Amino acid sequence: MNMIDPFGRTISYLRVSVTDRCDFRCTYCMAEDMAFLPKKDLLSLEELDRLCSVFIEKGVRRLRLTGGEPLVRKNIMHLVRQLSRHLESGALEELTLTTNGSQLSRFAAELADCGVKRINVSLDTLDADKFHAITRWGHLDKVMAGIDAAQAAGLNVKLNAVALKDFNDAELPEMMRWAHGRGMDLTVIETMPMGEIDADRTDQYLPLSLLRASLERQFTLTDIPFKTGGPARYVYVSETGGKLGFITPMTHNFCESCNRVRLTCTGTLYMCLGQEDAADLRAPLRASEGNELVADAIDEAIGRKPKGHDFIIDRRTSRPSVSRHMSVTGG
C-alpha cells in the first residue's frame, strides 16, 4: 500500500515530532522565551502509536522520532517500545531518533534494547563555552556523556552540525576529524528560515558550497552514493576514512527526491517542511475507533504534497519563510 504523491514520489519516511518542548534554546532554532503548546493539545502516546501504525500500514518503512527534544517527553520510552513491534514484525525497516544528547545517558541502553540501531545527535561545536552560548541552556559535558553511553550501548551515532558563519565554520574540520576518529559520521546542515528568532539569519547563513570548497583545500572529498533515507548527500573523506554529509535546503535543494512527511505532536501533518499547508489528523483519529477516516485523510494530504519548498534567506527577506519554529515540525 505505497503512498505516491502527485509527482510520482513514494512516501516511505515519517518524521514524528513527539513534543515541541526542548531543554535547549539554540539561537538559530528558537527564541529564548518560547511559548510552547499546552500539554492538553498534545496527542497521547497511544494516539501517536496509532497514527504511526496507520502510516506503517500505508507504506512507511522508516520512522524517526524528533522534537523539540524527544527524550524530554514524559514516558517517551513507552512509545518507543510500542513502535518496536513493527521492527519485530518486519513491517518497519528502521526506528530511530534525532536528539540533542542531553538525556542520552539515561535512555541509550533502553533505546538499543527496543531495536533502535542508530541515532542522530545535534552538536554544533566542541567548545564548552561556545556550546553553552549557542544552546543558551545546554552543557557540553552532558552531551558527551550521552554520546559515550550511546556508543557503549552499541548505537551507531551520527552527528548533525548546523553550519553557522563566524561561529563554527573554522571548527568544522576539527569536528570532522574528532567524529571520524570515534567512528561517527558527520553531517553539516544549512540554517533554515523557520520561525522568528532573536538573531538575523543572514548573519548566520553559511552556504555549504563555500564550506565544501574550503574543506577541499585540506581534504580529499569523493562523492559517494551512500544514503540513510534522508536528504543528505555524502562524500568520503580520504584523510579520515569517514563520511561527511551535506544537507543543503538553500543552495541545492533535495525536493526532487523527497520521500518524507512530518507529523506533529498535535496530529498535524506537514507534507513539506518549507510550506505552511497541512492536514489535521487528530479530528479523524478521534472521530472513530477504526482507522478508515484517518487513512482517508492521509491519502487526501499526500495527494496535495507540493513539489518543493520556497526557502529564502537574504537581506531583503527579513521574515522567515514559514512562521512555525523547527521544534514544532521536527528536524
Side-chain angles (χ1 to χ4, degrees):
M1 291 180 61
N2 288 338
M3 295 179 288
I4 309 295
D5 79 359
F7 303 95
R9 299 170 297 196
T10 299
I11 308 306
S12 59
Y13 191 175
L14 176 67
R15 298 190 178 198
V16 184
S17 176
V18 297
T19 179
D20 68 327
R21 295 171 184 266
C22 188
D23 50 352
F24 291 177
R25 295 290 185 273
C26 294
T27 58
Y28 54 81
C29 181
M30 60 178 74
E32 184 166 14
D33 185 21
M34 287 290 290
F36 293 116
L37 292 166
K39 292 183 179 179
K40 64 180 177 62
D41 290 352
L42 272 59
L43 295 180
S44 69
L45 295 178
E46 290 73 22
E47 288 174 321
L48 283 170
D49 175 39
R50 184 177 158 203
L51 266 182
C52 290
S53 298
V54 174
F55 274 99
I56 292 167
E57 290 173 3
K58 295 179 73 62
V60 161
R61 293 293 171 262
R62 287 188 168 93
L63 198 157
R64 177 178 295 277
L65 302 181
T66 69
E69 169 48 46
L71 295 179
V72 302
R73 173 81 191 251
K74 188 177 180 180
N75 296 325
I76 185 60
M77 291 311 302
H78 173 72
L79 176 62
V80 176
R81 196 161 290 281
Q82 286 295 106
L83 291 172
S84 70
R85 72 188 185 277
H86 298 298
L87 294 172
E88 295 169 2
S89 72
L92 192 62
E93 293 176 10
E94 182 179 59
L95 174 62
T96 184
L97 79 159
T98 295
T99 174
N100 65 26
S102 67
Q103 308 297 316
L104 265 181
S105 292
R106 295 170 55 202
F107 295 115
E110 191 174 357
L111 286 168
D113 187 58
C114 289
V116 174
K117 304 294 185 188
R118 68 183 184 96
I119 59 173
N120 289 1
V121 177
S122 300
L123 182 65
D124 301 319
T125 176
L126 297 177
D127 181 291
D129 292 335
K130 288 171 65 176
F131 182 86
H132 188 66
I134 196 74
T135 63
R136 293 191 180 106
W137 294 6
H139 297 282
L140 183 62
D141 58 342
K142 286 188 66 175
V143 175
M144 290 300 186
I147 291 172
D148 290 341
Q151 291 194 308
L155 295 173
N156 186 344
V157 178
K158 179 171 77 70
L159 300 183
N160 288 342
V162 176
L164 299 167
K165 183 172 61 178
D166 298 329
F167 177 78
N168 63 357
D169 41 356
E171 188 184 355
L172 288 169
E174 185 53 38
M175 284 188 68
M176 183 179 69
R177 291 189 187 97
W178 176 79
H180 291 174
R182 291 192 51 162
M184 298 182 290
D185 294 337
L186 172 67
T187 293
V188 286
I189 307 170
E190 290 175 337
T191 188
M192 289 178 253
M194 298 186 65
E196 294 286 359
I197 60 173
D198 300 328
D200 186 341
R201 283 195 172 93
T202 53
D203 295 329
Q204 299 176 328
Y205 173 53
L206 174 65
L208 293 191
S209 54
L210 297 181
L211 175 65
R212 176 165 180 166
S214 174
L215 289 173
E216 285 180 324
R217 290 194 282 271
Q218 304 179 56
F219 302 98
T220 307
L221 309 182
T222 305
D223 292 305
I224 56 175
F226 178 76
K227 281 285 186 184
T228 61
R233 295 178 172 91
Y234 284 90
V235 298
Y236 176 75
V237 185
S238 300
E239 289 77 5
T240 63
K243 292 187 288 291
L244 176 66
F246 295 92
I247 295 181
T248 54
M250 307 302 300
T251 55
H252 183 187
N253 80 52
F254 34 78
C255 301
E256 73 280 356
S257 60
C258 184
N259 61 348
R260 298 169 295 289
V261 289
R262 289 171 166 83
L263 178 68
T264 76
C265 54
T266 61
T268 301
L269 181 69
Y270 285 97
M271 289 71 78
C272 175
L273 182 65
Q275 301 283 0
E276 298 283 13
D277 187 34
D280 174 26
L281 300 186
R282 180 171 59 184
L285 181 76
R286 293 178 173 175
S288 169
E289 291 185 4
N291 292 328
E292 294 81 5
L293 292 178
V294 72
D296 289 345
I298 292 170
D299 287 340
E300 191 277 332
I302 298 299
R304 62 175 201 265
K305 181 173 167 65
K307 189 173 184 179
H309 64 69
D310 297 316
F311 283 151
I312 297 172
I313 294 179
D314 62 27
R315 294 288 178 191
R316 296 163 296 175
T317 311
S318 59
R319 302 285 297 176
S321 295
V322 293
S323 60
R324 68 187 183 278
H325 288 85
M326 176 68 88
S327 61
V328 173
T329 320

PDB file of all heavy atoms in Angstrom, residues 14 16 47-57 60 63 65 79 83 86 263:
ATOM      1  N   LEU A  14       8.546   8.721   7.647  1.00  0.00           N
ATOM      2  CA  LEU A  14       7.740   9.579   8.501  1.00  0.00           C
ATOM      3  C   LEU A  14       8.589  10.099   9.650  1.00  0.00           C
ATOM      4  O   LEU A  14       9.245   9.328  10.356  1.00  0.00           O
ATOM      5  CB  LEU A  14       6.549   8.799   9.065  1.00  0.00           C
ATOM      6  CG  LEU A  14       5.657   9.549  10.068  1.00  0.00           C
ATOM      7  CD1 LEU A  14       4.923  10.702   9.381  1.00  0.00           C
ATOM      8  CD2 LEU A  14       4.662   8.589  10.724  1.00  0.00           C
ATOM      9  N   VAL A  16       8.259  12.141  13.173  1.00  0.00           N
ATOM     10  CA  VAL A  16       7.221  12.436  14.148  1.00  0.00           C
ATOM     11  C   VAL A  16       7.799  13.299  15.263  1.00  0.00           C
ATOM     12  O   VAL A  16       8.693  12.853  15.998  1.00  0.00           O
ATOM     13  CB  VAL A  16       6.631  11.144  14.753  1.00  0.00           C
ATOM     14  CG1 VAL A  16       5.487  11.482  15.706  1.00  0.00           C
ATOM     15  CG2 VAL A  16       6.159  10.197  13.652  1.00  0.00           C
ATOM     16  N   GLU A  47      -2.191   7.594  21.070  1.00  0.00           N
ATOM     17  CA  GLU A  47      -2.655   8.141  19.794  1.00  0.00           C
ATOM     18  C   GLU A  47      -1.510   8.273  18.800  1.00  0.00           C
ATOM     19  O   GLU A  47      -1.693   8.012  17.588  1.00  0.00           O
ATOM     20  CB  GLU A  47      -3.313   9.495  20.023  1.00  0.00           C
ATOM     21  CG  GLU A  47      -4.676   9.402  20.701  1.00  0.00           C
ATOM     22  CD  GLU A  47      -5.252  10.758  21.046  1.00  0.00           C
ATOM     23  OE1 GLU A  47      -4.482  11.652  21.472  1.00  0.00           O
ATOM     24  OE2 GLU A  47      -6.474  10.936  20.886  1.00  0.00           O
ATOM     25  N   LEU A  48      -0.340   8.675  19.268  1.00  0.00           N
ATOM     26  CA  LEU A  48       0.824   8.734  18.385  1.00  0.00           C
ATOM     27  C   LEU A  48       1.164   7.346  17.843  1.00  0.00           C
ATOM     28  O   LEU A  48       1.464   7.195  16.651  1.00  0.00           O
ATOM     29  CB  LEU A  48       2.018   9.324  19.134  1.00  0.00           C
ATOM     30  CG  LEU A  48       2.019  10.841  19.337  1.00  0.00           C
ATOM     31  CD1 LEU A  48       3.125  11.248  20.307  1.00  0.00           C
ATOM     32  CD2 LEU A  48       2.190  11.571  18.006  1.00  0.00           C
ATOM     33  N   ASP A  49       1.096   6.349  18.702  1.00  0.00           N
ATOM     34  CA  ASP A  49       1.354   4.977  18.271  1.00  0.00           C
ATOM     35  C   ASP A  49       0.344   4.555  17.201  1.00  0.00           C
ATOM     36  O   ASP A  49       0.707   3.971  16.173  1.00  0.00           O
ATOM     37  CB  ASP A  49       1.287   4.046  19.480  1.00  0.00           C
ATOM     38  CG  ASP A  49       1.415   2.579  19.097  1.00  0.00           C
ATOM     39  OD1 ASP A  49       2.218   2.272  18.196  1.00  0.00           O
ATOM     40  OD2 ASP A  49       0.718   1.746  19.699  1.00  0.00           O
ATOM     41  N   ARG A  50      -0.904   4.879  17.432  1.00  0.00           N
ATOM     42  CA  ARG A  50      -1.952   4.502  16.468  1.00  0.00           C
ATOM     43  C   ARG A  50      -1.732   5.185  15.124  1.00  0.00           C
ATOM     44  O   ARG A  50      -1.835   4.549  14.067  1.00  0.00           O
ATOM     45  CB  ARG A  50      -3.316   4.866  17.054  1.00  0.00           C
ATOM     46  CG  ARG A  50      -4.498   4.439  16.196  1.00  0.00           C
ATOM     47  CD  ARG A  50      -5.802   4.766  16.892  1.00  0.00           C
ATOM     48  NE  ARG A  50      -6.899   4.854  15.946  1.00  0.00           N
ATOM     49  CZ  ARG A  50      -8.026   5.518  16.162  1.00  0.00           C
ATOM     50  NH1 ARG A  50      -8.200   6.149  17.322  1.00  0.00           N
ATOM     51  NH2 ARG A  50      -8.978   5.558  15.244  1.00  0.00           N
ATOM     52  N   LEU A  51      -1.426   6.487  15.143  1.00  0.00           N
ATOM     53  CA  LEU A  51      -1.189   7.200  13.890  1.00  0.00           C
ATOM     54  C   LEU A  51       0.020   6.636  13.153  1.00  0.00           C
ATOM     55  O   LEU A  51      -0.029   6.412  11.942  1.00  0.00           O
ATOM     56  CB  LEU A  51      -0.978   8.690  14.163  1.00  0.00           C
ATOM     57  CG  LEU A  51      -2.182   9.615  14.064  1.00  0.00           C
ATOM     58  CD1 LEU A  51      -1.766  11.045  14.324  1.00  0.00           C
ATOM     59  CD2 LEU A  51      -2.854   9.493  12.696  1.00  0.00           C
ATOM     60  N   CYS A  52       1.111   6.421  13.885  1.00  0.00           N
ATOM     61  CA  CYS A  52       2.309   5.852  13.257  1.00  0.00           C
ATOM     62  C   CYS A  52       2.001   4.494  12.638  1.00  0.00           C
ATOM     63  O   CYS A  52       2.487   4.170  11.540  1.00  0.00           O
ATOM     64  CB  CYS A  52       3.436   5.721  14.280  1.00  0.00           C
ATOM     65  SG  CYS A  52       4.137   7.290  14.828  1.00  0.00           S
ATOM     66  N   SER A  53       1.202   3.700  13.325  1.00  0.00           N
ATOM     67  CA  SER A  53       0.872   2.360  12.824  1.00  0.00           C
ATOM     68  C   SER A  53       0.068   2.432  11.535  1.00  0.00           C
ATOM     69  O   SER A  53       0.248   1.610  10.627  1.00  0.00           O
ATOM     70  CB  SER A  53       0.109   1.578  13.902  1.00  0.00           C
ATOM     71  OG  SER A  53       0.910   1.406  15.059  1.00  0.00           O
ATOM     72  N   VAL A  54      -0.823   3.434  11.431  1.00  0.00           N
ATOM     73  CA  VAL A  54      -1.564   3.611  10.178  1.00  0.00           C
ATOM     74  C   VAL A  54      -0.604   3.957   9.047  1.00  0.00           C
ATOM     75  O   VAL A  54      -0.703   3.404   7.935  1.00  0.00           O
ATOM     76  CB  VAL A  54      -2.640   4.710  10.331  1.00  0.00           C
ATOM     77  CG1 VAL A  54      -3.305   4.985   8.986  1.00  0.00           C
ATOM     78  CG2 VAL A  54      -3.689   4.292  11.358  1.00  0.00           C
ATOM     79  N   PHE A  55       0.350   4.851   9.305  1.00  0.00           N
ATOM     80  CA  PHE A  55       1.335   5.192   8.275  1.00  0.00           C
ATOM     81  C   PHE A  55       2.160   3.970   7.865  1.00  0.00           C
ATOM     82  O   PHE A  55       2.477   3.790   6.690  1.00  0.00           O
ATOM     83  CB  PHE A  55       2.262   6.302   8.780  1.00  0.00           C
ATOM     84  CG  PHE A  55       1.742   7.688   8.553  1.00  0.00           C
ATOM     85  CD1 PHE A  55       1.113   8.386   9.576  1.00  0.00           C
ATOM     86  CD2 PHE A  55       1.871   8.296   7.309  1.00  0.00           C
ATOM     87  CE1 PHE A  55       0.643   9.674   9.366  1.00  0.00           C
ATOM     88  CE2 PHE A  55       1.400   9.585   7.087  1.00  0.00           C
ATOM     89  CZ  PHE A  55       0.770  10.275   8.122  1.00  0.00           C
ATOM     90  N   ILE A  56       2.510   3.151   8.824  1.00  0.00           N
ATOM     91  CA  ILE A  56       3.283   1.944   8.506  1.00  0.00           C
ATOM     92  C   ILE A  56       2.458   0.999   7.641  1.00  0.00           C
ATOM     93  O   ILE A  56       2.960   0.421   6.667  1.00  0.00           O
ATOM     94  CB  ILE A  56       3.769   1.275   9.805  1.00  0.00           C
ATOM     95  CG1 ILE A  56       4.806   2.168  10.491  1.00  0.00           C
ATOM     96  CG2 ILE A  56       4.371  -0.106   9.529  1.00  0.00           C
ATOM     97  CD1 ILE A  56       5.117   1.777  11.923  1.00  0.00           C
ATOM     98  N   GLU A  57       1.174   0.865   7.958  1.00  0.00           N
ATOM     99  CA  GLU A  57       0.293   0.049   7.123  1.00  0.00           C
ATOM    100  C   GLU A  57       0.207   0.597   5.709  1.00  0.00           C
ATOM    101  O   GLU A  57      -0.004  -0.154   4.753  1.00  0.00           O
ATOM    102  CB  GLU A  57      -1.105   0.000   7.739  1.00  0.00           C
ATOM    103  CG  GLU A  57      -1.200  -0.813   9.026  1.00  0.00           C
ATOM    104  CD  GLU A  57      -2.565  -0.692   9.671  1.00  0.00           C
ATOM    105  OE1 GLU A  57      -3.453  -0.025   9.077  1.00  0.00           O
ATOM    106  OE2 GLU A  57      -2.756  -1.259  10.769  1.00  0.00           O
ATOM    107  N   VAL A  60       4.990   3.320   5.075  1.00  0.00           N
ATOM    108  CA  VAL A  60       6.163   3.924   5.707  1.00  0.00           C
ATOM    109  C   VAL A  60       7.108   2.821   6.175  1.00  0.00           C
ATOM    110  O   VAL A  60       6.695   1.865   6.833  1.00  0.00           O
ATOM    111  CB  VAL A  60       5.748   4.827   6.894  1.00  0.00           C
ATOM    112  CG1 VAL A  60       6.918   5.085   7.831  1.00  0.00           C
ATOM    113  CG2 VAL A  60       5.197   6.146   6.368  1.00  0.00           C
ATOM    114  N   LEU A  63      10.949   5.373  10.304  1.00  0.00           N
ATOM    115  CA  LEU A  63      10.247   6.259  11.215  1.00  0.00           C
ATOM    116  C   LEU A  63      11.260   6.891  12.156  1.00  0.00           C
ATOM    117  O   LEU A  63      12.047   6.190  12.797  1.00  0.00           O
ATOM    118  CB  LEU A  63       9.189   5.476  12.007  1.00  0.00           C
ATOM    119  CG  LEU A  63       8.085   6.291  12.693  1.00  0.00           C
ATOM    120  CD1 LEU A  63       6.861   5.414  12.916  1.00  0.00           C
ATOM    121  CD2 LEU A  63       8.548   6.850  14.019  1.00  0.00           C
ATOM    122  N   LEU A  65      11.735   9.636  15.335  1.00  0.00           N
ATOM    123  CA  LEU A  65      11.148  10.464  16.391  1.00  0.00           C
ATOM    124  C   LEU A  65      12.018  11.703  16.582  1.00  0.00           C
ATOM    125  O   LEU A  65      13.241  11.609  16.692  1.00  0.00           O
ATOM    126  CB  LEU A  65      11.055   9.678  17.694  1.00  0.00           C
ATOM    127  CG  LEU A  65      10.247   8.373  17.641  1.00  0.00           C
ATOM    128  CD1 LEU A  65      10.216   7.716  19.015  1.00  0.00           C
ATOM    129  CD2 LEU A  65       8.838   8.599  17.108  1.00  0.00           C
ATOM    130  N   LEU A  79       6.363   4.745  24.187  1.00  0.00           N
ATOM    131  CA  LEU A  79       6.057   4.837  22.754  1.00  0.00           C
ATOM    132  C   LEU A  79       7.104   4.095  21.930  1.00  0.00           C
ATOM    133  O   LEU A  79       6.766   3.365  20.990  1.00  0.00           O
ATOM    134  CB  LEU A  79       5.988   6.301  22.325  1.00  0.00           C
ATOM    135  CG  LEU A  79       5.772   6.550  20.822  1.00  0.00           C
ATOM    136  CD1 LEU A  79       4.432   5.979  20.365  1.00  0.00           C
ATOM    137  CD2 LEU A  79       5.856   8.047  20.497  1.00  0.00           C
ATOM    138  N   LEU A  83       6.296   0.995  19.420  1.00  0.00           N
ATOM    139  CA  LEU A  83       6.606   1.042  17.989  1.00  0.00           C
ATOM    140  C   LEU A  83       7.574  -0.054  17.580  1.00  0.00           C
ATOM    141  O   LEU A  83       7.599  -0.464  16.413  1.00  0.00           O
ATOM    142  CB  LEU A  83       7.180   2.414  17.633  1.00  0.00           C
ATOM    143  CG  LEU A  83       6.209   3.595  17.707  1.00  0.00           C
ATOM    144  CD1 LEU A  83       6.948   4.915  17.528  1.00  0.00           C
ATOM    145  CD2 LEU A  83       5.105   3.457  16.653  1.00  0.00           C
ATOM    146  N   HIS A  86       6.756  -3.144  15.333  1.00  0.00           N
ATOM    147  CA  HIS A  86       6.770  -3.106  13.871  1.00  0.00           C
ATOM    148  C   HIS A  86       8.145  -3.488  13.312  1.00  0.00           C
ATOM    149  O   HIS A  86       8.245  -3.953  12.172  1.00  0.00           O
ATOM    150  CB  HIS A  86       6.368  -1.721  13.380  1.00  0.00           C
ATOM    151  CG  HIS A  86       4.971  -1.322  13.776  1.00  0.00           C
ATOM    152  ND1 HIS A  86       3.853  -2.006  13.355  1.00  0.00           N
ATOM    153  CD2 HIS A  86       4.520  -0.316  14.581  1.00  0.00           C
ATOM    154  CE1 HIS A  86       2.764  -1.432  13.859  1.00  0.00           C
ATOM    155  NE2 HIS A  86       3.147  -0.407  14.608  1.00  0.00           N
ATOM    156  N   LEU A 263       4.837  14.631  10.973  1.00  0.00           N
ATOM    157  CA  LEU A 263       3.679  14.636  11.852  1.00  0.00           C
ATOM    158  C   LEU A 263       4.042  15.327  13.155  1.00  0.00           C
ATOM    159  O   LEU A 263       5.075  15.025  13.755  1.00  0.00           O
ATOM    160  CB  LEU A 263       3.239  13.194  12.133  1.00  0.00           C
ATOM    161  CG  LEU A 263       2.063  12.990  13.075  1.00  0.00           C
ATOM    162  CD1 LEU A 263       0.778  13.502  12.441  1.00  0.00           C
ATOM    163  CD2 LEU A 263       1.934  11.511  13.441  1.00  0.00           C
TER     164      LEU A 263
END
